[in-house]
Amino acid sequence: MRMGIGFDAHRLAEGRDLILGGHRLEHNRGLEGHSDGDVLLHALTDAILGAVAAPDIGALFPSEDPRWRGVQSSVFLRRALEIAKQTGYEVSSVDAVIIAQEPRLSEHIAPIRQAVARLVGIPESAVGLKAKTTDGMGFIGRGEGVAVHAVATLVRLERTV
Ligand code: MG
């Protein structure tokens, strides 16, 4: 069994869509980024890559590379799943904490969780997801951005003889 950890933070900005876990939320601001800014998928991608000691998302998909401009972050996640598979592992569960002062995420947790389960290819019962605020403290508390901590558990692929 392998475990990996991932972290990411993105700025909130006007004129951007807010996408978390591949799910689009209605909000007056969205997450900045070279890609679609999906901070949750970025942290999950790094957790999966970390579990198999692969290079991280920034090394695999450099933000200077025009190929990744505006791309859906599910592309990064799928690549991480492929790399894990090539290494002989598949994801068995993920868990994440979204840290955001705004918008209120409680009513969005269920659809985000569904979207993550579908993208990772595991049951919803294997996707942990929580939303926290920082009680108004720091850059998140001032509504400047959103951060995510994520972990992934991977198990050895069954070998067919
Ligand atoms: Mg990122």
Side-chain angles (χ1 to χ4, degrees):
M1 192 182 108
R2 297 288 190 94
M3 287 193 73
I5 185 169
F7 170 81
D8 200 13
H10 280 243
R11 283 181 188 277
L12 279 166
E14 283 173 18
R16 294 278 299 182
D17 282 338
L18 178 57
I19 299 166
L20 287 170
H23 175 76
R24 191 176 167 279
L25 283 74
E26 280 304 324
H27 192 51
N28 60 351
R29 295 191 296 162
L31 293 170
E32 274 187 351
H34 188 68
S35 63
D36 64 3
D38 192 332
V39 65
L40 174 55
L41 288 193
H42 293 184
L44 281 171
T45 297
D46 259 350
I48 294 163
L49 291 169
V52 294
D56 73 4
I57 192 170
L60 293 174
F61 309 102
S63 50
E64 310 85 65
D65 191 331
R67 272 185 299 170
W68 314 122
R69 183 181 297 276
V71 80
Q72 286 186 359
S73 296
S74 54
V75 168
F76 308 149
L77 180 77
R78 272 198 296 275
R79 182 70 189 122
L81 293 170
E82 275 172 24
I83 290 170
K85 199 173 174 184
Q86 286 159 7
T87 317
Y89 288 90
E90 64 181 354
V91 175
S92 61
S93 70
V94 297
D95 192 12
V97 185
I98 307 170
I99 311 167
Q101 197 69 38
E102 60 163 86
R104 278 191 66 83
L105 291 174
S106 45
E107 67 262 40
H108 300 290
I109 288 295
I112 294 171
R113 198 160 156 255
Q114 276 172 20
V116 168
R118 187 174 49 78
L119 288 169
V120 180
I122 55 177
E124 277 178 57
S125 59
V127 178
L129 192 60
K130 287 84 65 186
K132 302 282 169 190
T133 71
T134 62
D135 222 0
M137 294 182 289
F139 74 89
I140 293 170
R142 292 188 296 270
E144 292 170 16
V146 175
V148 172
H149 293 275
V151 293
T153 308
L154 279 65
V155 290
R156 196 109 189 118
L157 277 165
E158 295 295 330
R159 299 216 178 271
T160 47
V161 184

